[in-house]
Amino acid sequence: AQSVAQPEDQVNVAEGNPLTVKCTYSVSGNPYLFWYVQYPNRGLQFLLKYITGDNLVKGSYGFEAEFNKSQTSFHLKKPSALVSDSALYFCAVRDNNNDMRFGAGTRLTVKP
Amino acid sequence: EPEVTQTPSHQVTQMGQEVILRCVPISNHLYFYWYRQILGQKVEFLVSFYNNEISEKSEIFDDQFSVERPDGSNFTLKIRSTKLEDSAMYFCASSEALRQTQYFGPGTRLLVL
C-alpha cells in the first residue's frame, strides 16, 4: 500500500528566501507523485506532478519539485518565496491504483 | 478555466439525518472521486467512480455512504444516517482519464450536531 509522509507540520521562511517543503513516499510500484496547495476556506489546487521523465518537475506559481528515487523523496521548492505563498501544502502519492494518499500537510508561512 | 464545483458550501444537519452532497465535475472528465478532511487532519480517500459504478473505495466508505451520477453532469455523495464523526470537509474531484491529475472542488463543510 502506498503512503506519504510530510515530516514538518510547519515551515517558516522570510519573503525572498528559498523554501523547501519535504515529502517522502512509500509505494509498491512506480510512484505517481503530486503536490497540492490549500488556501484558507478553499479546495485543493493542483501544483505539479511527477509521473516519469526528468526528476525536476516545474509547476504552477514558480514551484518545482525534485524526485529522488534513492531517497524516496519528492520535496517541493521555490527559489524565492512570496507572502502570498502562505498556505497548507499537501504531498500525495498514487501507485497503480487510482486512489491517492495524502500527507498530513505542511503549513507554510512566509513573513515579509 | 473549467473547474469542479460543489454545493452546498456549508451544511449543518442533525445526527441520524440523511445528507446529499453535490458536485459538478469538469465536463470532459470521466473519473470522479470523493475525499474528506476532518478538521486538522489529513485528506482521506473515500471512493472513485467510473462508468456509472464504484471502481475503488476505502474502508471509510461503509454502507452509510453511497454515490450516484443521476444525470450527465452531477455526481453526488449520500450519507444515509449521519453520525457526529461524519463532520468534515468533503471534497469532490475529477480526472480526465485513469491515473491523470485529479482536480478538486472547493469542498462542502458538513457539521453534524
Side-chain angles (χ1 to χ4, degrees):
Chain A
Q2 68 270 36
S3 65
V4 63
Q6 294 179 243
E8 301 156 317
D9 293 334
Q10 176 110 16
V11 171
N12 299 314
V13 298
E15 187 174 31
N17 282 1
L19 69 87
T20 299
V21 183
K22 295 180 181 177
C23 173
T24 58
Y25 66 89
S26 173
V27 295
S28 54
N30 293 322
Y32 298 81
L33 297 157
F34 302 81
W35 276 101
Y36 286 83
V37 59
Q38 185 180 28
Y39 296 101
N41 301 313
R42 301 285 297 275
L44 297 167
Q45 293 183 36
F46 168 74
L47 275 181
L48 50 80
K49 67 180 178 184
Y50 172 82
I51 304 294
T52 186
D54 288 342
N55 289 343
L56 186 64
V57 179
K58 294 188 183 298
S60 306
Y61 313 122
F63 283 93
E64 57 190 29
E66 187 169 10
F67 171 66
N68 187 319
K69 188 173 183 178
S70 62
Q71 296 184 3
T72 60
S73 67
F74 189 57
H75 301 331
L76 181 70
K77 300 180 180 183
K78 187 172 182 179
S80 178
L82 300 172
V83 172
S84 57
D85 292 331
S86 298
L88 194 55
Y89 289 80
F90 290 95
C91 182
V93 66
R94 202 178 64 210
D95 59 16
N96 293 327
N97 296 321
N98 210 23
D99 60 310
M100 290 211 292
R101 305 290 168 163
F102 285 83
T106 298
R107 185 166 298 284
L108 173 67
T109 302
V110 181
K111 298 182 179 177
Chain B
E1 186 174 329
E3 56 184 22
V4 178
T5 59
Q6 291 184 243
T7 54
S9 58
H10 294 78
Q11 176 138 12
V12 181
T13 189
Q14 296 289 325
M15 189 170 59
Q17 295 295 305
E18 174 183 286
V19 295
I20 298 176
L21 310 182
R22 290 182 168 79
C23 168
V24 179
I26 295 172
S27 62
N28 65 331
H29 286 188
L30 301 177
Y31 290 80
F32 315 115
Y33 314 86
W34 283 101
Y35 293 80
R36 78 172 184 191
Q37 184 183 30
I38 295 173
L39 187 64
Q41 299 186 25
K42 65 171 67 175
V43 178
E44 299 171 296
F45 169 77
L46 291 177
V47 66
S48 60
F49 189 87
Y50 168 72
N51 199 26
N52 284 319
E53 61 183 28
I54 291 172
S55 49
E56 292 173 75
K57 62 181 181 179
S58 72
E59 59 275 8
I60 302 169
F61 193 87
D62 61 22
D63 292 343
Q64 294 295 318
F65 292 90
S66 62
V67 289
E68 192 179 31
R69 188 157 163 81
D71 53 43
S73 60
N74 288 285
F75 178 52
T76 62
L77 174 69
K78 182 191 292 185
I79 309 175
R80 230 179 308 278
S81 177
T82 51
K83 303 186 287 285
L84 296 177
E85 54 266 36
D86 293 327
S87 296
M89 180 76 95
Y90 288 81
F91 292 107
C92 173
S94 68
S95 66
E96 193 170 349
L98 186 66
R99 306 192 190 107
Q100 293 299 307
T101 300
Q102 296 178 20
Y103 293 90
F104 285 74
T108 294
R109 186 172 294 283
L110 176 66
L111 179 61
V112 182
L113 301 176

